Amino acid sequence: MYRIKKKTKLYQDIYSMWIEAPEVAKTVQPGQFIILMTKEKGERIPLTVADYEQNKGLVQIVFQVVGKTTDELSHFQEGEYLYSFIGPLGHKSEIDFFGTVVVVGGGTGIACIHPIARNLKEAGNRVIAIIGARTKELIIMENELRAVSDELIITTDDGSYGRKGFVTDALKEKLDQDTSIKRIWTIGPPIMMKVTTELTKSYRVDTIVSLNTIMVDGTGMCGSCRVSIGGETKFVCTDGPEFDGQLVNWEEFMNRIYRYKEEEKESWQHFKGQNECRCKEN
Amino acid sequence: MNAGVRRINMAEMIEMKERTKREQVPMKEQSPSDRIHNYNEVPLGYTKEEAIFEAQRCLQCKNPTCMKGCPAEINIPTFIRYIVEENFAKAYLTILETDALPAVTGRVCPQEEQCQKECVLNKRGKAIAIGRLERFVADWARENGIHGIKNADNQKGIKVAVVGSGPAGLTCAADLAKMGYQIILFEALHKPGGVLVYGIPEFRLPKSIVEYEVNEIRQLGVKVITNQVIGATRSVKDLTKEFDAIFLANGAGAPRFMNIPGENMNDVYSANEFLTRSNLMKAYLFPKYDTPIKIRERAATIGAGNVAMDSARTALRLGAKESYIIYRRSRAEVPARAEEVHHAEEEGVIFHFLTLPIRILGDKEGRVTGMECVRMKLGEPDKSGRRRPIPIDNSNFVLEVDMVIDAIGTMANPIVARSAKGVEVNQWGYFKVDEKTKMTTCKGIFAGGDIVRGSATVISAVGDGKIAARSIDAYLSSGKSLRKKSIVSSEVK
């Protein structure tokens, strides 16, 4: 079973959990994901692995409460068990020596970019990290990223911390200044990855995105996660989750990830309703 | 008919003449108008009286041809005789000797193509209803708490890994456990059963029955570990270090798409996704269960196999107002079981034969608004012996549908094979095996079911599992082991 070893509230609705999953921890690599279920009646959701400690058998996930499953997950306490925790799934990030690289993280994507940055640093790259969020409190894992990057730039939309503006503003500046940048990773909200890819196109710098599609099995069986990459249908679960951002059909991708919007809302309301009833009973 | 039943002395076989004269006992079913509003099983099963009345028709042939048609190797005349004698427990144990999944095979086997096809009674009328009788016996045993006989301590201390808990894996695991081997059964999903759980709908195979039979197999000493993706969580190579032999039965798994424009729109599903959401994840109970499924008014299922029938019938139950089967050949070439086609038609599924989709139409938000198709005609027979469908020029038309389910078959999922270098696959990615032994190109590693055959039936997977179990026993009995081998040589790199 998959015990929650440590739970930390990073901010309001952003949580970090370290899960006891020795077999996943043993083989997981940066860029890979897991699929979890909170309960038997739950849905299977994919989450990119934030970090791992192989010798302790632990895998870290970082998530924001955005719907029923993440809401329910946030109510789990240390010592409790998840119903299912499957992985590691998908391909690992292509870690190599490139020279100068930029990792761009937004939202909970900041957590996912961290092990990639660390491994890129260990491979001898000069790592520039750009992380951004709406406001100061949403900037997570700042110290961890600072430790594995040569330069860390923080942006907030409201200017409450770091530079005012978006990650793309900071990235544009960097690209203008530094022509030695060989590769960029960007993980975060879909719109952020899309805009980043649009920006980097004219600079002709390889830009890797990590796609967070809807999945069911996560092992190539259902095709729920399919997306057009360079005009060809690919499965994010077995062909990805990382792809060349320039090749992604963003319109199709965005349509598909929001295709259960109404049902997700209904499910969350149903869950909240149940919780309220229980509170009243108590 | 009930009156007739009462007049007969149950414990006796009836006269030969009477046996050939008596007609096959039909099985009661839920009416189509009722059943499209629920997920309960469609056929209701025989009563005790009906089962005996039907069993009495069996000629008890000295050289039973029916058994030749049974990959599960069931001693058919014997179990039927026990039914006549009202010894249902003995009948159950007889089946269980060779078939670990009787309630499953009694429901989903195409008996008309297997055991019943060989029945001598076919010459005089209808074959004995072996499948229905098997189902009756298995259901009776489950309801009356009759269990298989647990093996005594014949533990050999030899470990076999079975990858995949579908019909091939479960059968192989059960047979090997009965021989005294220690079996670990790895399942990638959170529930065991493979296609029996994610693929076949509740109304054809209730999941509680699968769960029950899996638990009975567990009682034989088989340890089932779920959430283990072989090829991801651990590799086949890892398994060769821990186990003496391996059986790969991970299923075909990867969905096939038409590769036509518009196929990645929101309301287009693979049958695998559609059925997995509904069956494994129980989306039909949403929001009690968390996984949603989106149903529009007019659902088009492309393909005409059993999976297509399951999809079209599921769409109706989930609330589609119209459900179409789109098939490029004609009725005569439909690959699904006649019974499934019949059930689908009864429920109101509309068949569009000689129709080939070429484009799915939709709006900017990714919602399907229609499907462009061409009419087909049949030409000369192709390699499969079926007449080749040929598009008719300028016959394009738009079928007004708003959701599409691709049920045109599966391909090999490469995830297991990728982690098993040294185990050869063919050009389609299926494991190459020796026909007789099911051994792969790597000694000690065996394979069966859909990951060898492509999309086939539950019963052929059961048959593969049985053959593999015997071969694995022979391999291990001769003192060989993957573990020993991995010390001396390393065929699996």
Side-chain angles (χ1 to χ4, degrees):
Chain A
M1 285 295 274
Y2 313 96
R3 192 165 159 266
I4 298 164
K5 176 85 178 170
K6 191 167 193 280
K7 175 187 174 186
T8 320
K9 190 175 189 168
L10 300 179
Y11 178 67
Q12 273 178 3
D13 57 355
I14 301 180
Y15 296 84
S16 153
M17 279 183 180
W18 284 89
I19 313 293
E20 285 178 5
E23 284 177 322
V24 181
K26 205 171 145 188
T27 49
V28 68
Q29 298 282 321
Q32 290 188 297
F33 67 94
I34 55 91
I35 288 221
L36 68 79
M37 288 173 79
T38 49
K39 293 177 176 169
E40 195 184 349
K41 292 182 179 177
E43 62 179 334
R44 296 167 64 99
I45 63 156
L47 286 173
T48 306
V49 168
D51 209 347
Y52 43 89
E53 286 195 40
Q54 202 186 81
N55 49 0
K56 289 184 187 162
L58 297 174
V59 176
Q60 186 195 23
I61 50 168
V62 171
F63 61 93
Q64 185 165 16
V65 175
V66 291
K68 194 259 162 168
T69 303
T70 43
D71 192 352
E72 187 170 59
L73 188 58
S74 75
H75 286 81
F76 275 67
Q77 301 305 323
E78 284 176 7
E80 290 188 308
Y81 293 85
L82 299 181
Y83 174 71
S84 174
F85 194 84
I86 299 178
L89 300 169
H91 292 286
K92 60 184 180 186
S93 305
E94 190 193 340
I95 303 290
D96 208 336
F97 174 74
F98 300 98
T100 300
V101 294
V102 183
V103 295
V104 184
T108 53
I110 299 172
C112 306
I113 214 90
H114 168 243
I116 298 171
R118 187 177 65 213
N119 279 266
L120 285 167
K121 181 74 190 151
E122 282 167 10
N125 293 285
R126 189 166 82 90
V127 178
I128 302 166
I130 304 173
I131 58 175
R134 210 175 59 241
T135 188
K136 185 184 174 185
E137 286 78 11
L138 287 164
I139 296 292
I140 55 171
M141 301 185 85
E142 178 187 342
N143 292 335
E144 287 90 336
L145 268 159
R146 198 178 294 283
V148 297
S149 53
D150 295 272
E151 188 181 350
L152 175 69
I153 303 166
I154 296 167
T155 67
T156 48
D157 300 1
D158 62 0
S160 56
Y161 193 52
R163 303 176 33 161
K164 184 173 176 1
F166 301 119
V167 284
T168 39
D169 300 330
L171 177 63
K172 186 175 185 315
E173 213 168 277
K174 268 287 146 199
L175 285 166
D176 287 334
Q177 289 167 6
D178 190 342
T179 49
S180 70
I181 294 167
K182 283 285 176 308
R183 195 176 264 234
I184 298 163
W185 265 264
T186 173
I187 307 183
I191 190 70
M192 183 199 100
M193 294 192 285
K194 181 180 180 243
V195 172
T196 307
T197 310
E198 278 163 6
L199 167 74
T200 61
K201 192 173 182 182
S202 55
Y203 293 89
R204 297 180 182 219
V205 182
D206 289 345
T207 305
I208 310 297
V209 297
S210 179
L211 301 182
N212 49 339
T213 47
I214 298 172
M215 295 187 189
V216 185
D217 65 293
T219 63
M221 198 186 85
C222 80
S224 173
C225 64
R226 68 193 188 276
V227 57
S228 297
I229 304 291
E232 225 181 291
T233 295
K234 297 279 181 191
F235 287 7
V236 171
C237 66
T238 50
D239 298 318
E242 294 185 2
F243 293 100
D244 176 347
Q246 306 300 349
L247 299 178
V248 175
N249 181 337
W250 290 101
E251 191 191 331
E252 182 188 279
F253 167 72
M254 304 273 251
N255 274 343
R256 286 187 66 80
I257 58 170
Y258 296 119
R259 69 189 193 273
Y260 284 113
K261 214 162 46 188
E262 294 110 38
E263 288 81 359
E264 281 161 7
K265 215 169 137 191
E266 185 189 344
S267 177
W268 200 1
Q269 263 157 11
H270 179 79
F271 174 72
K272 284 176 181 164
Q274 279 181 328
N275 274 11
E276 266 171 33
C277 295
R278 234 178 287 150
C279 295
K280 279 172 198 161
E281 276 167 33
N282 295 341
Chain B
M1 196 203 65
N2 277 341
V5 171
R6 277 187 213 104
R7 260 187 267 120
I8 283 149
N9 183 347
M10 295 290 188
E12 276 173 28
M13 298 303 283
I14 54 171
E15 288 299 317
M16 271 297 169
K17 257 191 197 166
E18 181 66 23
R19 290 188 216 179
T20 51
K21 256 197 268 166
R22 188 181 289 177
E23 281 186 18
Q24 191 186 58
V25 180
M27 183 157 54
K28 291 188 187 73
E29 290 179 347
Q30 272 199 80
S31 80
S33 55
D34 283 345
R35 71 193 192 224
I36 60 163
H37 301 296
N38 66 53
Y39 293 86
N40 301 336
E41 250 195 305
V42 170
L44 301 172
Y46 278 160
T47 62
K48 200 166 107 179
E49 290 74 21
E50 286 167 336
I52 294 168
F53 199 73
E54 175 64 20
Q56 284 172 329
R57 294 175 64 229
C58 178
L59 299 179
Q60 293 291 313
C61 305
K62 282 216 177 98
N63 296 306
T65 47
C66 52
M67 287 176 66
K68 290 184 193 135
C70 178
E73 300 164 17
I74 296 171
N75 191 333
I76 295 165
T78 305
F79 100 75
I80 293 181
R81 185 163 185 104
Y82 281 127
I83 296 178
V84 177
E85 292 171 6
E86 263 191 85
N87 193 341
F88 305 133
K90 268 276 183 71
Y92 178 65
L93 295 176
T94 304
I95 299 172
L96 214 53
E97 269 173 37
T98 63
D99 181 0
L101 300 164
V104 171
T105 51
R107 285 172 166 79
V108 302
C109 266
Q111 288 96 8
E112 67 283 358
E113 297 291 328
Q114 308 272 345
C115 52
Q116 289 174 204
K117 193 181 181 183
E118 310 291 335
C119 178
V120 177
L121 284 174
N122 278 317
K123 290 174 196 156
R124 307 265 180 103
K126 273 193 178 170
I128 179 107
I130 300 166
R132 293 172 187 173
L133 292 174
E134 182 189 18
R135 172 191 162 142
F136 164 77
V137 167
D139 290 354
W140 184 91
R142 189 176 62 253
E143 281 149 23
N144 288 277
I146 306 297
H147 302 282
I149 297 148
K150 257 198 197 175
N151 286 63
D153 302 321
N154 63 347
Q155 289 304 315
K156 294 177 171 151
I158 301 174
K159 284 170 75 178
V160 181
V162 175
V163 178
S165 67
L170 286 169
T171 300
C172 186
D175 279 11
L176 287 169
K178 282 195 259 177
M179 294 175 199
Y181 295 103
Q182 195 186 329
I183 313 297
I184 312 276
L185 182 50
F186 295 102
E187 170 52 49
L189 293 167
H190 55 279
K191 279 202 165 142
V195 71
L196 308 175
V197 170
Y198 75 74
I200 304 176
E202 180 77 16
F203 58 83
R204 275 217 296 138
L205 181 62
K207 301 309 141 212
S208 59
I209 287 176
V210 179
E211 199 180 328
Y212 178 87
E213 296 206 322
V214 170
N215 284 336
E216 290 295 291
I217 291 167
R218 279 195 173 111
Q219 291 302 310
L220 299 170
V222 173
K223 192 177 173 202
V224 181
I225 308 184
T226 51
N227 302 320
Q228 294 275 323
V229 185
I230 302 303
T233 314
R234 34 172 129 189
S235 64
V236 173
K237 188 184 159 191
D238 292 337
L239 298 180
T240 62
K241 292 171 194 154
E242 286 174 57
F243 293 89
D244 298 288
I246 299 171
F247 180 53
L248 302 174
N250 48 298
R256 197 184 284 279
F257 289 95
M258 295 284 289
N259 293 317
I260 55 175
E263 221 169 6
N264 289 346
M265 271 187 293
N266 293 358
D267 305 307
V268 184
Y269 292 88
S270 73
N272 270 7
E273 181 186 357
F274 187 70
L275 293 173
T276 302
R277 282 182 181 274
S278 176
N279 300 332
L280 173 72
M281 306 310 295
K282 302 212 184 297
Y284 63 88
L285 297 173
F286 179 86
K288 246 171 91 186
Y289 280 70
D290 293 348
T291 304
I293 197 161
K294 207 157 211 143
I295 295 297
R296 305 253 183 234
E297 298 210 336
R298 283 155 302 181
T301 300
I302 308 173
N306 289 326
V307 173
M309 300 306 140
D310 286 346
S311 303
R313 296 172 69 193
T314 298
L316 278 180
R317 283 163 175 76
L318 286 166
K321 292 212 171 68
E322 283 186 3
S323 182
Y324 308 138
I325 287 279
I326 315 293
Y327 185 46
R328 64 195 178 123
R329 300 180 198 250
S330 74
R331 182 180 286 271
E333 289 82 22
V334 166
R337 270 183 95 177
E339 184 184 316
E340 303 308 326
V341 176
H342 170 70
H343 279 149
E345 285 189 313
E346 270 188 342
E347 289 167 13
V349 172
I350 298 159
F351 286 69
H352 291 272
F353 294 111
L354 295 166
T355 303
L356 179 73
I358 55 166
R359 191 158 63 112
I360 298 166
L361 311 166
D363 61 19
K364 254 191 105 61
E365 279 76 49
R367 288 180 63 147
V368 171
T369 54
M371 188 159 73
E372 187 179 341
C373 303
V374 285
R375 303 252 183 239
M376 310 291 278
K377 60 182 178 193
L378 292 180
E380 294 300 308
D382 60 13
K383 275 182 197 158
S384 73
R386 295 180 298 178
R387 293 178 64 191
R388 189 197 306 272
I390 304 163
I392 299 171
D393 287 344
N394 304 319
S395 66
N396 298 37
F397 67 100
V398 173
L399 196 66
E400 290 199 5
V401 298
D402 40 26
M403 70 178 284
V404 178
I405 303 160
D406 270 316
I408 53 168
T410 55
M411 304 181 290
N413 186 334
I415 206 161
V416 172
R418 270 204 298 241
S419 83
K421 287 186 188 120
V423 185
E424 284 178 30
V425 295
N426 66 17
Q427 56 178 314
W428 299 285
Y430 299 118
F431 289 118
K432 286 185 189 170
V433 295
D434 178 285
E435 279 287 315
K436 277 185 196 147
T437 63
K438 306 292 169 197
M439 201 192 287
T440 65
T441 51
C442 184
K443 291 192 175 74
I445 301 183
F446 301 75
D450 277 4
I451 196 58
V452 171
R453 295 170 175 271
S455 315
T457 57
V458 168
I459 190 62
S460 57
V462 166
D464 285 357
K466 294 198 70 67
I467 295 167
R470 226 171 322 206
S471 307
I472 290 168
D473 180 45
Y475 169 83
L476 296 169
S477 300
S478 65
K480 290 175 196 147
S481 160
L482 274 173
R483 282 195 284 185
K484 284 183 205 160
K485 212 178 68 177
S486 56
I487 298 165
V488 269
S489 71
S490 56
E491 276 190 48
V492 178
K493 282 158 208 136

